[in-house]
Amino acid sequence: MKAYDTVIGLEVHAQLLTRTKIFCGCSTRSGLPPNTNTCPVCTGMPGVLPVLNRKVVDFGIMLGLATGCRIAPRCIFARKNYFYPDLPKGYQITQYEHPLCEGGTIRIETGQGVKRIGITRIHMEEDAGKTIHDEKAPYSYVDYNRAGVPLLEIVSEPEITSTDEAVAYLRELRQILMYLGICDGNMEEGSLRCDANVSVKPAGSSRYGTRTELKNMNSFRNVQKALEYEIERHIGIRESGHEVVQETLLWDPSRGVTVSMRSKEESHDYRYFPEPDLVPVEIGEAWIDGLRSGLPELPFARRKRFSGQYGLPAYDAGVLTQTKALADYYEEGVRLLDRPKEISNWIMTEVMRILNEKGIPITGLNVSPAMLTGLIALIGGGSISGSMAKDVFAEMAATGDSAESIVERRGIGQISDETELLSLAREIIDAHPDEARRYRSGKAGLLGFFVGKLMKATRGEANPKLASKIMKELLEG
Ligand code: ADP
Ligand code: MG
Ligand code: ZN
């Protein structure tokens, strides 16, 4: 029996793939020289007015629909006031009392089946700039290129009860964002950022413990490790008779510890008030319906359909639907050749190996679904062996040539010529008289030994069925 229950709630920031910023026409591109991608609006000059980018509302509604949220009829922004050099206006434009979306769910797979985690709210806001600290200089720099880049903040209910569930929730949310094409999901580069609130309470108790908030975890692995560390820290504090202090901590990945950053501020510290520079936007049914009809099939549904329609194990369905492009690739393959499990096996092994080696997405692969199914058809037709096919596949990926042309160029059809195999088989039996005697006196398992020798002598090019038949006949005849 565990002595404590864990309670986790996640606040995720997703940077949106709009072309321009949320309230001005500056580009959202990253990697430009500092402060070259700014204008009077996103640097907070006096006398300028923000204009809302409609695409940001579109993307927010799309995520709200994908997670079953209610969409607000009017969208209203608020000012969150605080002072920090990366915030040129002295306030962030965000949403407070009237978030764009509320009351949704994300379904995750757990050891005990599907679990629904509540989404409290999804709101739109602008990103801040970046401060850059140079240890050699007695001052810091600030780069406003990122100021005004649109974000969605997705807040979960405190319904996550383990670190595994937290990672599963985050993976699922990331996959939904990427299927929708509204965020690139890159955690290392900060386009998907996760803050985690965590507390522990005596097992079975209905009263929540004091929570701390963790920041700076830029990978799934770090989210997992930071939460595990923090849960142990909370339990340690309670066991020693002390109380957890509500505060914000930074995860230090190099030391593997959480470090106190600041005491937790309350929302009244921010003096939120409605943003007077932006008019409320009415979101009519037509706007919502238009976006709903354009939604793609979402990861959860697609996984379920893959298992059902193609008879795939849940594991295969999960791997094949990791990205929309990979799932599309698979389905195009199955449409061309009705061998769902074989195509799945090829994608999960050889195709994924090449993608990982080259660090490319499926869209960057030289081998089209038609070319892959062409190769699988050659194996089925008996013209090349399975092991040979792997070499052919590697060459296809390297050159972009079809399986047929590679097989022809390399002259690697299977040896199905009986006389050639017969003479090789005789030589092998003559070279292993002991094994041949033992086989004939009843050690039937040695057939594999002889067939293996024959396959090796032909460098794998013998037709395996024929090789086995010939060996058996010679040994027994
Ligand atoms: P804040 O305004 O400080 O961000 P919220 O009430 O918006 O606080 O909650 C932020 C996150 O903290 C939510 O994801 C919520 O689920 C989570 N949370 C709230 N209470 C707890 C708790 N006792 N333990 C763990 N997480 C919690
Ligand atoms: Mg918050
Ligand atoms: Zn700008």
Side-chain angles (χ1 to χ4, degrees):
M1 250 309 269
K2 273 194 320 174
Y4 293 95
D5 289 339
T6 301
V7 176
I8 299 168
L10 299 182
E11 293 174 89
V12 175
H13 287 90
Q15 187 176 312
L16 297 180
L17 289 170
T18 53
R19 213 169 41 76
T20 56
K21 292 185 180 179
I22 183 167
F23 300 122
C24 65
C26 292
S27 158
T28 52
R29 260 179 64 200
S30 61
L32 297 170
N35 298 306
T36 56
N37 190 28
T38 56
C39 73
V41 173
C42 56
T43 49
M45 296 298 160
V48 295
L49 288 172
V51 177
L52 177 61
N53 179 345
R54 184 192 169 99
K55 207 78 197 163
V56 175
V57 187
D58 281 351
F59 285 3
I61 295 173
M62 284 162 68
L63 183 61
L65 292 173
T67 52
C69 287
R70 294 185 299 281
I71 312 296
R74 305 176 86 205
C75 107
I76 296 169
F77 285 91
R79 286 189 183 181
K80 178 179 181 178
N81 299 279
Y82 65 96
F83 176 78
Y84 199 70
D86 66 9
L87 193 69
K89 296 191 293 295
Y91 58 86
Q92 178 193 33
I93 305 180
T94 177
Q95 294 192 282
Y96 186 55
E97 280 172 293
H98 307 280
L100 180 60
C101 316
E102 283 181 281
T105 39
I106 285 185
R107 286 171 290 185
I108 58 168
E109 308 276 354
T110 72
Q112 293 83 259
V114 174
K115 177 170 174 182
R116 307 171 79 92
I117 307 291
I119 302 281
T120 316
R121 55 186 278 148
I122 301 173
H123 72 245
M124 301 172 278
E125 62 186 27
E126 59 179 341
D127 207 347
K130 240 182 210 163
T131 46
I132 299 152
H133 308 292
D134 181 344
E135 277 176 21
K136 288 186 245 50
Y139 45 79
S140 292
Y141 301 91
V142 60
D143 174 9
Y144 290 120
N145 283 349
R146 209 182 60 185
V149 166
L151 303 175
L152 288 179
E153 178 172 331
I154 304 108
V155 181
S156 86
E157 290 290 315
E159 293 174 348
I160 298 167
T161 54
S162 69
T163 55
D164 286 347
E165 283 183 19
V167 171
Y169 167 91
L170 195 55
R171 280 191 192 283
E172 191 68 25
L173 172 56
R174 175 173 181 267
Q175 214 175 7
I176 294 170
L177 288 162
M178 292 173 71
Y179 264 62
L180 294 172
I182 65 178
C183 172
D184 70 19
N186 193 324
M187 292 183 74
E188 268 82 14
E189 285 175 15
S191 21
L192 190 72
R193 312 196 272 270
C194 171
D195 300 341
N197 292 269
V198 58
S199 65
V200 301
K201 59 183 173 64
S205 161
S206 58
R207 251 191 77 217
Y208 287 147
T210 304
R211 67 179 149 129
T212 54
E213 180 170 356
L214 308 182
K215 290 181 179 290
N216 196 38
M217 302 159 294
N218 63 354
S219 67
F220 292 114
R221 185 95 197 93
N222 278 321
V223 170
Q224 175 112 32
K225 289 207 291 197
L227 280 170
E228 278 166 6
Y229 177 88
E230 190 65 7
I231 291 164
E232 285 309 311
R233 194 179 71 86
H234 282 215
I235 292 174
I237 293 172
R238 282 171 163 265
E239 290 287 292
S240 67
H242 294 86
E243 277 179 30
V244 173
V245 179
Q246 180 163 348
E247 61 182 339
T248 302
L249 301 117
L250 283 184
W251 169 244
D252 179 344
S254 59
R255 290 194 294 143
V257 297
T258 56
V259 186
S260 178
M261 184 168 104
R262 57 171 188 240
S263 66
K264 174 80 189 166
E265 51 294 279
E266 302 287 338
S267 57
H268 62 246
D269 295 336
Y270 291 120
R271 291 154 39 240
Y272 278 100
F273 65 86
E275 166 61 68
D277 288 346
L278 286 161
V279 292
V281 179
E282 301 286 340
I283 303 171
E285 281 303 313
W287 188 351
I288 297 173
D289 289 344
L291 291 167
R292 186 183 284 117
S293 64
L295 290 183
E297 185 180 21
L298 292 160
F300 192 89
R302 203 163 192 186
R303 276 199 296 275
K304 291 284 163 273
R305 185 169 63 76
F306 270 35
S307 306
Q309 183 175 346
Y310 304 119
L312 295 175
Y315 178 80
D316 294 44
V319 174
L320 296 173
T321 55
Q322 259 168 22
T323 66
K324 188 166 173 290
L326 188 65
D328 290 344
Y329 183 97
Y330 174 74
E331 291 211 277
E332 173 65 6
V334 177
R335 198 180 61 76
L336 295 166
L337 182 72
D338 187 20
R339 302 223 207 114
K341 181 57 183 156
E342 237 173 304
I343 297 173
S344 168
N345 290 346
W346 270 88
I347 292 180
M348 293 198 305
T349 53
E350 300 309 302
V351 171
M352 298 290 254
R353 196 169 49 73
I354 300 260
L355 299 186
N356 289 336
E357 268 171 28
K358 295 193 174 174
I360 52 169
I362 187 73
T363 45
L365 185 70
N366 250 340
V367 183
S368 68
M371 288 161 65
L372 177 65
T373 52
L375 173 65
I376 296 173
L378 281 184
I379 311 167
S383 29
I384 53 172
S385 68
S387 60
M388 195 64 73
K390 289 183 181 166
D391 289 347
V392 174
F393 178 79
E395 193 166 332
M396 289 166 77
T399 61
D401 293 340
S402 73
E404 292 84 349
S405 64
I406 292 168
V407 165
E408 197 183 305
R409 181 166 73 229
R410 300 204 340 200
I412 50 170
Q414 273 189 14
I415 304 174
S416 297
D417 175 352
E418 286 216 31
T419 38
E420 190 180 342
L421 289 180
L422 258 172
S423 69
L424 279 171
R426 275 202 195 91
E427 284 173 27
I428 290 166
I429 292 171
D430 290 346
H432 298 89
D434 280 356
E435 284 84 356
R437 192 167 350 94
R438 279 162 54 212
Y439 176 86
R440 287 178 182 128
S441 62
K443 195 111 176 51
L446 277 170
L447 181 63
F449 165 82
F450 285 105
V451 176
K453 291 273 175 222
L454 184 51
M455 293 306 292
K456 202 167 167 210
T458 60
R459 274 184 251 95
E461 291 191 32
N463 177 322
K465 276 211 190 92
L466 188 60
S468 171
K469 174 174 160 276
I470 286 175
M471 264 302 174
K472 202 161 185 290
E473 281 172 7
L474 274 184
L475 284 164
E476 290 170 11

